[in-house]
Amino acid sequence: MRFLLILSVALNLVPAPVEYTPERARTCFRKATAKLEPWQKQEAYRLTVKGDKVKIEALTKEGRFRAKTTLEQLRAMGKLPQGTILDYPRLRHRGLMIDESRSFKGKDFLKKQIDAMALLKLNVLHLHLDDSAGWRIEIDSYPDLTAKTAFRKGYTYHDWEAGKYQFSTQDDPDAYGGYYTKEDLKEIVQYAKERFITVIPEIEMPGHSMEVGYACPEVLCTLEDGTLCRGAWDLCPGSEATFRLLESVLEEVMDIFPSPFIHIGGDEATMKTWPDCPKCRKRMQEEGFTGVKQLQGYLVRRIEAFLRSHGRRIIGWDEILETGVPDGAVVQSWRGVEGGREASARGYDYIMSPNSHCYYNYYQDLIRKEPRAVGELVSLRFTYGYEPLGEGMSKEHLLGVQANLWTELIPTPEHAEYMLYPRLFALAETAWTPPEKKDYQSFRPRARMLLDVFRARGYNTFDMDTESELALSGFQRFEQLENHKKNGYKD
Ligand code: ACM
Ligand code: ZN
C-alpha cells in the first residue's frame, strides 16, 4: 500500500530531480549539499511543500531560480506534491546551439527559446552567428559584413544554393535575411542572464566563411598571378588581413558577450585554396610547415592566444584536435563521440554534442511522415538513451552536453520548435539528472504532459501521440527499419 502511495506521487517534472521524498527533510540544507562540487552548489536547491506552505532553500540566487522553475513546472502540470525535493545538476554545461546563419529567426524567437531553456534548467545558449549563408552580427569596424552578406537571394538555404550563392542588400524587396544589432544582442544576453543562461557566441573560422570573403575580399587566398579566389569557403590563413579582421570582430564580440567562452568553429575547412596561394605558401615556409593542414593549427593557436590575452577560453569543433590544440581550449565533439573520447584521453575539457544523438535537425520519425530533414533517425527515445560519459572517459573534463539545431532545412520559427520539442526535454534530463535516476518509462509520460504545457504556451511541437513504432522502439538508423520489418513490423 505504501509502495503504491509513493508511486502515485511520482513527480511531474522534467528534468527529474536528484531526490524526492514525501516527507520533510531531517538534515540542514548546507549539510545535505556539503559534498557537492562548487558549480553544483551554485545551482542546488531544496524545495519543501507542507500543506499550502512552500519553502525554498538555496545558497545562491541561481539556486533559488532553479527552485522557482521547478515550482513553475509542478504547478503547470498539476498540484504541488507534498514533501521535499533536493536537487542539483549533474553537468555544468547544459546547452542548445541555434544556427542563425542558414536561416535567421530573430530576437523574439530566441527569447522564447530562452524561456523554454530556463524551464528545462538548461544554462548555455550557443549562437552560430555567421556561416557562408549569412553574417548575422553588426560589426562597426567591418560594416560590409552585414551590409553585403546579411541578406541573400533565396528564402531557403537550398534556394540560395540553387541560385549559386547570390547575396543581396536590405533594400532589395526579394532579399531574405537579417542581422542582430549590438543592442539586440545585449538585450538577448541580459534576458538570458536574468534566467541564469550564458550566451556563447560562435564566430566561425577558417571554413564555412564564404560570406566573409564576399564582403571583405582581402581575407581571400589568391592564385600565383594575384587572381582572387572568389567564392572560397575558407579564409586565407597566410594573410595578415585575415587576422586583422578576426581580431577586430572578436574584440567587438567580447564587448557584447561576457561569456568566459568564445566558440571559434574550426570545422570542415576544405583547405582547397591554400596549397596554391602565395600568402599561404609564405606562411608555411616561415613557420617550417610541411602540409597545409598545419595552417589551420596556426590560425587556431593565434586566435586562442589573442582571446586568452583578453581572459577568454576558446571552444572549437572536434577538428581542432587534428592540428594541435592549445592548452585551455575546449573541444566540442560533433562527428560522433570520438572527438570527445580523444579530447578526454589527451586531457582537454570537452563538450559532447555528437551528431548521432544530439543533432535535432536530424529526423525524429519516419521520413515519409516528417518534413525533410537530415539522414539519421534521432527519435525521442534514442536521444534520451544517450550517455555522454562513455566508458573510460574523464568525468572531470566532461563539461557537459549540448543539442545542436542546424537550420539549412528549417526555414521558420515554427519548424525549429517542432524539431526541438520534446527532444530538448530528453537532453535536459541527460544533462541534469543523475544517470542512475534516468528511466525512459518514467520520462515519457512526464514529457507528454510537459508537451501540453509547451503547446498551451504557444510552442509548436512534434506530436508524440502519432509517433511511429520504429521511433518508439528507439532504433536509430533507417537501415535498421529493414531488419525491423523482417521481424514483423509494419510500416
Ligand atoms: C558541424 O556540424 N559541422 C559542427
Ligand atoms: Zn591563402
Side-chain angles (χ1 to χ4, degrees):
M1 207 48 221
R2 177 158 172 74
F3 176 65
L4 277 179
L5 181 74
I6 290 175
L7 269 189
S8 68
V9 291
L11 292 181
N12 291 324
L13 187 61
V14 179
V18 171
E19 216 178 277
Y20 167 63
T21 60
E23 273 115 50
R24 254 198 307 171
R26 308 239 176 267
T27 52
C28 84
F29 180 65
R30 274 187 192 276
K31 209 162 160 187
T33 54
K35 289 208 175 73
L36 300 182
E37 297 289 339
W39 53 268
Q40 287 177 306
K41 283 187 189 174
Q42 175 101 1
E43 298 190 71
Y45 68 90
R46 191 160 68 184
L47 186 68
T48 312
V49 181
K50 187 164 178 355
D52 53 8
K53 284 208 173 61
V54 174
K55 182 170 139 192
I56 292 176
E57 293 165 282
L59 304 169
T60 65
K61 281 189 182 151
E62 188 171 356
R64 290 192 75 76
F65 181 79
R66 300 295 173 222
K68 284 182 187 159
T69 63
T70 290
L71 266 179
E72 185 185 340
Q73 247 199 58
L74 289 171
R75 285 192 171 120
M77 295 218 265
K79 256 178 39 191
L80 281 191
Q82 297 290 306
T84 309
I85 294 170
L86 174 67
D87 207 9
Y88 47 84
R90 176 190 178 195
L91 300 170
R92 68 189 100 164
H93 176 117
R94 305 182 300 278
L96 167 65
M97 185 223 66
I98 298 180
D99 164 14
E100 283 289 77
S101 173
R102 273 61 170 270
S103 125
F104 179 70
K105 309 283 195 301
K107 200 163 68 174
D108 292 343
F109 170 79
L110 288 186
K111 285 185 174 173
K112 193 175 167 195
Q113 308 326 307
I114 288 170
D115 289 342
M117 290 173 69
L119 196 60
L120 296 169
K121 299 187 173 65
L122 296 174
N123 67 350
V124 174
L125 173 63
H126 163 182
L127 290 181
H128 186 74
L129 286 167
D130 67 302
D131 210 297
S132 294
W135 183 278
R136 308 280 177 227
I137 164 174
E138 176 184 34
I139 298 292
D140 296 330
S141 54
Y142 287 83
D144 280 352
L145 288 167
T146 48
K148 294 192 172 165
T149 71
F151 294 86
R152 70 180 182 224
K153 294 184 196 299
Y155 172 62
T156 68
Y157 179 82
H158 287 98
D159 291 345
W160 175 70
E161 211 172 39
K164 299 209 170 16
Y165 316 108
Q166 303 280 308
F167 288 103
S168 185
T169 51
Q170 191 159 10
D171 52 18
D172 177 347
D174 292 330
Y176 168 81
Y179 64 91
Y180 292 109
T181 64
K182 293 189 174 191
E183 288 315 305
D184 289 336
L185 288 168
K186 284 179 185 163
E187 194 181 317
I188 290 163
V189 166
Q190 182 59 27
Y191 191 84
K193 186 177 172 210
E194 286 161 12
R195 288 152 185 81
F196 296 91
I197 292 169
T198 302
V199 184
I200 298 183
E202 178 183 354
I203 299 299
E204 174 76 77
M205 64 190 82
H208 285 274
S209 295
M210 196 201 288
E211 88 292 14
V212 184
Y214 182 85
C216 310
E218 66 270 27
V219 303
L220 290 169
C221 284
T222 55
L223 299 176
E224 202 65 72
D225 65 2
T227 314
L228 276 176
C229 298
R230 289 199 187 275
W233 170 264
D234 304 317
L235 304 174
C236 173
S239 168
E240 280 306 303
T242 300
F243 290 93
R244 275 197 297 277
L245 180 141
L246 290 175
E247 291 181 4
S248 193
V249 164
L250 289 169
E251 269 177 6
E252 294 190 38
V253 164
M254 285 188 281
D255 281 346
I256 301 168
F257 297 94
S259 157
F261 298 99
I262 305 286
H263 205 303
I264 62 153
D267 58 318
E268 299 183 306
T270 67
M271 310 180 193
K272 271 189 195 157
T273 56
W274 298 354
D276 298 323
C277 168
K279 291 175 288 182
C280 285
R281 285 215 202 124
K282 182 158 177 283
R283 176 87 71 204
M284 286 178 67
Q285 198 178 31
E286 282 166 5
E287 299 291 327
F289 295 157
T290 51
V292 281
K293 215 167 179 177
Q294 287 166 290
L295 286 170
Q296 158 131 344
Y298 173 87
L299 180 137
V300 171
R301 282 194 299 280
R302 209 169 137 177
I303 295 297
E304 189 279 334
F306 173 77
L307 288 170
R308 181 160 30 87
S309 75
H310 287 78
R312 311 296 181 102
R313 287 177 72 187
I314 65 160
I315 304 176
W317 298 113
D318 59 43
E319 282 90 336
I320 67 169
L321 283 164
E322 294 168 18
T323 53
V325 187
D327 288 346
V330 177
V331 176
Q332 182 157 8
S333 194
W334 76 273
R335 295 176 297 179
V337 300
E338 286 315 307
R341 183 170 292 285
E342 187 182 336
S344 165
R346 288 167 57 184
Y348 295 108
D349 285 346
Y350 62 100
I351 295 162
M352 296 306 289
S353 58
N355 54 355
S356 52
H357 297 74
C358 299
Y359 270 35
Y360 291 169
N361 50 317
Y362 283 25
Y363 279 100
Q364 57 193 322
D365 207 336
L366 300 176
I367 292 174
R368 65 164 170 75
K369 85 185 252 298
E370 291 303 301
R372 191 177 156 211
V374 180
E376 307 282 337
L377 174 59
V378 178
S379 67
L380 179 64
R381 181 164 181 176
F382 185 77
T383 192
Y384 185 81
Y386 177 55
E387 169 47 47
L389 189 65
E391 212 171 301
M393 285 164 70
S394 156
K395 190 174 157 192
E396 288 65 39
H397 287 297
L398 171 62
L399 297 188
V401 287
Q402 190 174 299
N404 291 339
L405 191 74
W406 299 103
T407 58
E408 291 95 328
L409 292 167
I410 306 177
T412 67
E414 293 73 24
H415 191 165
E417 290 176 0
Y418 178 85
M419 302 306 271
L420 288 176
Y421 310 111
R423 288 188 289 188
L424 202 61
F425 304 172
L427 191 279
E429 192 144 310
T430 299
W432 180 278
T433 306
E436 65 278 9
K437 301 249 166 170
K438 274 180 76 186
D439 168 37
Y440 183 71
Q441 300 311 325
S442 128
F443 169 74
R444 192 173 171 84
R446 288 182 283 121
R448 180 65 191 82
M449 283 179 85
L450 188 57
L451 205 64
D452 281 344
V453 173
F454 269 60
R455 283 190 185 148
R457 292 182 180 194
Y459 292 86
N460 184 43
T461 75
F462 173 77
D463 182 1
M464 285 176 70
D465 298 339
T466 59
E467 211 174 352
S468 74
E469 195 187 318
L470 182 78
L472 284 169
S473 71
F475 277 93
Q476 182 196 17
R477 292 173 190 278
F478 283 109
E479 301 95 81
Q480 290 176 313
L481 179 60
E482 289 311 311
N483 289 330
H484 201 47
K485 274 180 185 163
K486 281 184 203 139
N487 294 328
Y489 166 75
K490 289 184 191 60
D491 184 11

